[in-house]
Amino acid sequence: MADKNILHMLTPHKHVSPFDVNMALDAGYDSVTPYEEVELDEITDLVQDVIFSRPPHLGVKSAVFFGGDDAVLALDMIEAAKKALVPPFGCNIMADPAGSFTTAAAMVACVERTLKTKKQRQLKDVSIAVFGATGVVGYCAAVIAAMEGASVKIVGHDGRERVAKRAEEMKHRFGVDVEPVDGSSAEKNTAIVGDVEVILAAAKAGVQVLSADQLKAASKLLVAADVNAVPPMGLEGIDVMADEQEIAGTRALGIGALAIGPMKSKTEYGLLKRMIEAEEPQALDFRDAFQLARTLVQ
């Protein structure tokens, strides 16, 4: 009998994501077992149960996946899992809380492709405003863009205080500098987007963060992407199916949620498949997701 590929799926919430379960089984896992309401201080015991139950050469056939809806907690869980490993015993480790790591990766990769192919620009050459940066997708998108050299502003819909804390956290954890800005009024948001070349909208589903008139007033805008598929769109005038379509009244190109979505799914599937096919244990987060996504969008 062939050795089984076994995935242990952990979440701090009441349920694991059915989306992730389906993706894992479609990618080729023989077994997916959910562990719910898991706390950070429980990771060590759970991971060591995973690794010590099989001989070292089968460590690569075991994997631990972290879900939830908190990017920072998922990263902390990855670190706890790494520290729990006892060589030569090991296993694969991956996180994608609320699909945020792969969604953010796909979003930034789609923008990068459009900048290169349609505007002859690179991420490191542009300024970016991220709406929804205190959420999981926006947080990761901001870090990815900053790590690639972009000048990034994270916009606080309720003022500067919360995004300032996020900026400090990003600096401490990833060594990137992002600028927290106050987006608590329409006037302030109009001023913010008037000074950037890229907009990434990852705010709460069903919340419009910028109107069509605000986008028209963004004279430097090259590309705008929105991951919200629930009406009203986060960015008015960008259809959910838009894929490099010109935004009315501007010279900018729009990318909608249902153009980003397939890339997100392919990225998550690809990372899960990578763990199955790996010869050595992997530890995968949103940085790995971005490196894969940027190859998939070409």
Side-chain angles (χ1 to χ4, degrees):
M1 181 181 295
D3 298 313
K4 301 294 186 182
N5 284 296
I6 300 172
L7 180 65
H8 303 272
M9 192 166 283
L10 283 60
T11 177
H13 297 313
K14 185 177 179 181
H15 302 295
V16 300
S17 164
F19 186 104
D20 294 332
V21 172
N22 287 354
M23 292 291 291
L25 289 169
D26 285 345
Y29 275 97
D30 299 299
S31 170
V32 179
T33 303
Y35 302 75
E36 295 158 342
E37 298 181 337
V38 176
E39 297 182 5
L40 182 60
D41 62 6
E42 297 176 304
I43 299 302
T44 297
D45 287 346
L46 288 168
V47 169
Q48 290 182 350
D49 265 5
V50 170
I51 65 174
F52 291 143
S53 61
R54 309 181 89 177
H57 75 279
L58 289 184
V60 75
K61 293 285 189 177
S62 299
V64 180
F65 179 102
F66 298 108
D69 64 0
D70 185 327
V72 174
L73 178 58
L75 292 168
D76 287 342
M77 286 185 167
I78 284 181
E79 290 307 310
K82 289 179 181 178
K83 290 177 181 178
L85 301 178
V86 183
F89 295 90
C91 67
N92 290 306
I93 301 166
M94 177 181 167
D96 194 16
S100 60
F101 287 5
T102 49
T103 300
M107 183 187 207
V108 179
C110 286
V111 168
E112 179 183 51
R113 173 207 61 197
T114 303
L115 284 169
K116 284 182 177 180
T117 61
K118 303 296 184 180
K119 300 295 184 179
Q120 292 72 54
R121 300 286 292 276
Q122 300 182 56
L123 278 175
K124 67 182 180 66
D125 298 328
V126 298
S127 55
I128 300 176
V130 181
F131 291 83
T134 58
V136 280
V137 176
Y139 181 97
C140 296
V143 174
I144 291 170
M147 292 181 78
E148 290 300 311
S151 174
V152 178
K153 296 180 179 182
I154 55 175
V155 184
H157 72 90
D158 54 358
R160 190 177 178 278
E161 183 177 354
R162 281 204 307 151
V163 287
K165 290 179 181 178
R166 282 299 203 192
E168 291 174 6
E169 187 176 67
M170 292 173 187
K171 175 68 173 179
H172 174 74
R173 189 180 285 269
F174 303 105
V176 296
D177 292 303
V178 302
E179 180 185 355
V181 293
D182 182 356
S184 59
S185 71
E187 293 77 16
K188 290 175 180 177
N189 284 334
T190 300
I192 290 166
V193 299
D195 196 38
V196 300
E197 292 147 311
V198 173
I199 296 170
L200 302 180
K204 185 178 179 180
V207 175
Q208 184 183 105
V209 294
L210 294 172
S211 69
D213 287 341
Q214 287 174 301
L215 293 177
K216 290 175 185 177
S219 59
K220 299 180 181 180
L221 188 61
L222 301 174
V223 181
D226 183 8
V227 294
N228 176 22
V230 179
M233 303 300 102
L235 302 177
E236 187 181 20
I238 298 180
D239 186 79
V240 291
M241 298 296 295
D243 192 4
E244 301 185 336
Q245 292 177 7
E246 191 169 283
I247 302 168
T250 79
R251 292 180 295 174
L253 300 176
I255 304 172
L258 297 187
I260 296 168
M263 291 300 107
K264 174 264 182 294
S265 295
K266 289 179 181 179
T267 301
E268 182 175 353
Y269 176 91
L271 293 179
L272 290 163
K273 196 78 173 175
R274 180 182 297 179
M275 292 194 295
I276 292 172
E277 297 174 348
E279 296 182 1
E280 298 292 335
Q282 307 288 299
L284 307 174
D285 63 21
F286 64 84
R287 290 162 286 197
D288 304 281
F290 178 63
Q291 294 306 319
L292 177 57
R294 72 196 319 185
T295 68
L296 295 174
V297 301
Q298 303 303 319

